[in-house]
């Protein structure tokens, strides 16, 4: 679209962004229309093949295969791609029609629609409907409030609901999935390949954290990027590592890795930690994990932050502060609260981000949770060196204004909302740690009594 004569750069930028937004909305409508036409074509192809309500499953399957081949050759696609398009169209014009409507209205992107289809697959209808509702509500909020809802954010929200409502216990599904662990090699262009491990989430996150810590230690004369060092370290450790119980690995000499003890954050509902409930815990950087694994990780943790979670609504009950120096304590609180970089759409984990004063200290900003937020280095610089501006509102909400004047909001991953009386758990009075000699709990305590006992006895170990 040509720029208006004599338009200022700001006005011209605004026009271009409006045009891009309009094109995106048009493409979403076209994708929705394509899904509807694919489904209609499939039904017509079945009629051409003579499929009737009395046809056998074999006849229906052959008609579907024939149509997939027809669609693939028409579009110049591989049959696997055409088959996925057909399967998506069938579900989007059937049980997931509300998602298709949201795509047509421009509220959901195509990647988000496919995430809805993935995470509603293989679960009972009521669970699938609840998972879909999470996506639709997030899309509605994004349109109404200006909150950025990326595909990664949407998947995290949907997975939490899916794991909470799934009729089969997460611990059973996890045990079955563990049996499928394996090493994967996927060829890539230019003589390269992707190497991956399909392992338990807690091990994968720990491996990633250890490599990140090791790769951050720059050596004199080392011109590699952090990502390159992490990849080289992983390869070196796998190729040169020595197993204590296997002499066949003695020919290789493991490189010096140093003593690294990365911190892995696991948010555990308090009743799960007590063994009174099996509500899934949250492994930072991954998502829901089963209660048994969470309790095992908590039991073997050399140190931990106390993050007690409301057993019904998931909000935080307490965060251990009293045994930390103020800067370290505040740093940990803000990172756990934010979860990720607070710039719209960024998914960089908060533990690898900077802590930024929303209002600079030079301008009167305090070093307080209400004026601190996690920003990755890239977006930290963007805030200070570009036209992006941000205001922190109550509850940790961040209101961003782009150089073009667009207002976008981001929410903390864990808002740490106060829990009032009558919300399901009887909290101890303030201060949370009662300075009296502890009295052993009754052999058969109530939930409230055992929760109070845990709060009184738990003494986090400083990092």
């Amino acid at each position: 679209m040509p720029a208006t004569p004599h338009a200022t750069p700001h006005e011209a930028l605004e026009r271009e962004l409006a045009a891009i937004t309009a094109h995106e909305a048009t493409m979403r409508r076209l994708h929705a229309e394509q899904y509807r036409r694919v489904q209609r074509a499939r039904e017509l192809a079945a009629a051409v093949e003579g499929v009737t309500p009395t046809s056998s499953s074999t006849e229906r399957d052959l008609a579907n295969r024939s149509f997939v081949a027809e669609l693939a050759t028409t579009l110049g696609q591989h049959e696997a791609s055409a088959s996925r398009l057909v399967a998506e169209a069938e579900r989007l014009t059937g049980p997931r029609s509300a998602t298709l409507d949201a795509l047509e209205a421009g509220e959901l992107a195509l990647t988000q629609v496919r995430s809805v289809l993935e995470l509603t697959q293989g679960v009972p209808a009521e669970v699938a409907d609840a998972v879909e509702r999470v996506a639709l509500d997030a899309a509605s909020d994004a349109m109404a409030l200006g909150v950025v809802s990326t595909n990664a954010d949407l998947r995290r929200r949907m997975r939490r609901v899916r794991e909470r409502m799934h009729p089969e216990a997460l611990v059973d599904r996890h045990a079955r999935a563990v049996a499928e662990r394996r090493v994967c090699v996927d060829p890539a262009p230019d003589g390269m390949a992707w190497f991956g491990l399909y392992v338990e989430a807690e091990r994968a996150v720990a491996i990633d954290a250890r490599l990140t810590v090791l790769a951050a230690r720059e050596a004199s004369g080392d011109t590699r990027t952090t990502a390159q060092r992490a990849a080289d370290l992983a390869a070196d450790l796998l190729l040169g590592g020595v197993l204590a119980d296997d002499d066949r690995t003695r020919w290789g000499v493991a490189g010096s890795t140093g003593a690294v003890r990365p911190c892995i954050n696991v948010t555990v509902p308090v009743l799960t930690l007590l063994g009174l409930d099996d509500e899934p815990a949250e492994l930072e950087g991954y998502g829901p994990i089963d209660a048994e694994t969470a309790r095992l990780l908590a039991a073997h943790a050399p140190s931990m932050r106390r993050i007690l979670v409301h057993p019904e609504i998931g909000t935080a009950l307490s965060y251990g502060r009293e045994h930390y120096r103020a800067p370290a304590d505040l740093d940990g609180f803000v990172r756990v609260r934010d979860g990720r970089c607070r710039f719209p759409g960024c998914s960089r984990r908060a533990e690898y981000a900077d802590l930024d004063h929303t209002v600079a200290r030079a301008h009167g900003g305090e070093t307080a949770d209400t004026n601190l937020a996690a920003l990755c280095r890239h977006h930290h610089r963007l805030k200070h060196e570009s036209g992006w501006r941000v205001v922190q509102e109550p509850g940790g909400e961040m209101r961003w204004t782009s150089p073009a004047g667009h207002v976008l909001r981001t929410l903390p991953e864990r808002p740490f909302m106060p829990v009032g009386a009558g919300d399901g758990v009887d909290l101890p009075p303030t201060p949370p740690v009662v300075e009296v000699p502890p009295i052993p709990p009754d052999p058969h305590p109530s939930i409230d009594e055992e929760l109070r006992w845990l709060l009184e006895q738990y003494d986090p170990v400083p990092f």
Side-chain angles (χ1 to χ4, degrees):
M1 182 183 297
T4 303
H6 311 299
T8 66
H10 185 281
E11 292 170 341
L13 172 61
E14 181 64 29
R15 286 175 58 83
E16 292 301 326
L17 291 173
I20 292 170
T21 301
H23 289 322
E24 176 66 18
T26 299
M27 288 189 289
R28 293 182 185 188
R29 285 196 299 272
L30 290 174
H31 278 304
E33 178 64 16
Q34 184 187 45
Y35 279 125
R36 291 193 172 94
R37 289 190 176 275
V38 167
Q39 179 61 17
R40 176 60 177 158
R42 178 173 177 265
E43 294 169 352
L44 291 171
V48 169
E49 293 287 345
V51 175
T52 66
T54 60
S55 296
S56 67
S57 59
T58 300
E59 292 170 331
R60 293 176 183 277
D61 181 61
L62 287 173
N64 189 65
R65 289 171 180 265
S66 174
F67 175 66
V68 167
E70 179 82 45
L71 184 64
T73 54
T74 299
L75 298 178
Q77 294 181 347
H78 191 282
E79 286 193 21
S81 299
S83 179
R84 185 179 77 164
L85 181 60
V86 170
E88 290 174 346
E90 182 179 15
R91 294 182 61 203
L92 286 169
T93 55
R96 304 278 75 85
S97 60
T99 297
L100 184 60
D101 292 341
L103 174 64
E104 184 176 40
E107 296 178 350
L108 287 176
L110 184 61
T111 53
Q112 294 173 318
V113 168
R114 285 176 171 158
S115 290
V116 172
L117 293 176
E118 176 191 343
L119 294 173
T120 55
Q121 182 75 15
V123 294
E126 61 273 14
V127 178
D129 290 345
V131 172
E132 181 186 44
R133 176 48 52 191
V134 170
L136 299 178
D137 288 346
S140 178
D141 289 344
M143 295 289 286
L145 304 176
V147 176
V148 174
S149 180
T150 64
N151 187 49
D153 175 63
L154 203 64
R155 289 181 66 88
R156 283 193 295 272
R157 297 191 197 188
M158 289 191 292
R159 284 175 58 206
R160 290 184 185 121
V161 173
R162 186 181 189 274
E163 299 301 351
R164 186 175 297 115
M165 296 185 63
H166 203 291
E168 184 181 4
L170 178 56
V171 65
D172 295 333
R173 286 179 281 134
H174 178 63
R176 186 169 60 250
V178 166
E180 300 297 324
R181 62 189 182 278
R182 60 189 179 275
V183 171
C184 313
V185 178
D186 184 20
D190 305 323
M192 302 295 285
W194 292 101
F195 180 88
L197 299 174
Y198 181 64
V199 295
E200 300 90 328
E202 65 272 15
R203 294 173 69 192
V205 171
I207 290 170
D208 179 65
R210 184 168 191 249
L211 288 174
T212 300
V213 172
L214 291 172
R217 302 187 306 175
E218 299 183 17
S220 178
D222 189 348
T223 60
R224 294 174 298 173
T225 67
T226 301
Q228 290 169 342
R229 283 196 297 271
D232 292 343
L233 280 164
D236 290 344
L237 289 171
L238 285 170
L239 291 171
V242 176
L243 298 178
D245 59 348
D246 193 337
D247 289 336
R248 292 175 298 176
T249 64
R250 295 294 180 185
W251 60 269
V253 179
S256 175
T257 60
V260 177
R261 183 180 292 176
C263 170
I264 305 300
N265 287 330
V266 181
T267 304
V268 189
V270 64
L271 298 187
T272 296
L273 193 60
L274 292 171
L276 301 175
D277 198 352
D278 285 326
E279 179 76 8
E282 185 88 5
L283 175 62
E284 185 170 336
Y286 173 74
I289 59 174
D290 65 273
E292 183 174 328
T293 298
R295 285 191 286 265
L296 182 64
L297 290 174
H300 290 83
S303 64
M304 66 174 65
R305 294 187 176 107
R306 185 176 71 198
I307 307 173
L308 304 180
V309 177
H310 193 293
E312 295 180 1
I313 61 176
T315 53
L317 296 177
S318 174
Y319 180 89
R321 297 174 58 97
E322 62 274 10
H323 292 285
Y324 295 101
R325 291 183 297 109
D329 182 286
L330 187 58
D331 181 286
F333 174 84
V334 174
R335 292 182 192 278
V336 172
R337 179 198 68 187
D338 289 354
R340 301 178 184 276
C341 170
R342 296 299 304 281
F343 190 84
C346 185
S347 59
R348 179 77 169 170
R349 287 165 56 183
E351 64 182 290
Y352 303 133
D354 299 333
L355 279 195
D356 171 67
H357 286 75
T358 305
V359 177
R361 293 191 65 187
H363 297 154
E366 296 182 358
T367 304
D369 64 297
T370 53
N371 191 49
L372 289 173
L375 290 179
C376 71
R377 184 61 54 85
H378 171 70
H379 290 126
H380 193 172
R381 292 187 60 187
L382 198 68
K383 169 184 177 271
H384 287 285
E385 301 176 15
S386 74
W388 283 90
R389 295 294 178 263
V390 62
V391 174
Q392 187 165 168
E393 299 180 339
E397 181 175 315
M398 307 286 286
R399 176 166 55 84
W400 292 84
T401 303
S402 75
H406 293 166
V407 176
L408 303 165
R409 287 179 168 82
T410 64
L411 305 176
E413 193 166 285
R414 301 176 183 87
F416 286 88
M417 297 169 58
V419 178
D423 284 338
V425 175
D426 184 15
L427 285 176
T430 303
V433 178
V434 181
E435 299 296 337
V436 295
I439 301 174
D442 185 86
H444 303 287
S446 67
I447 290 177
D448 288 347
E449 290 171 345
E450 192 151 5
L451 174 59
R452 184 178 289 106
W453 170 256
L454 176 69
L455 290 170
E456 292 175 353
Q457 294 303 301
Y458 183 69
D459 187 13
V461 180
F463 290 100

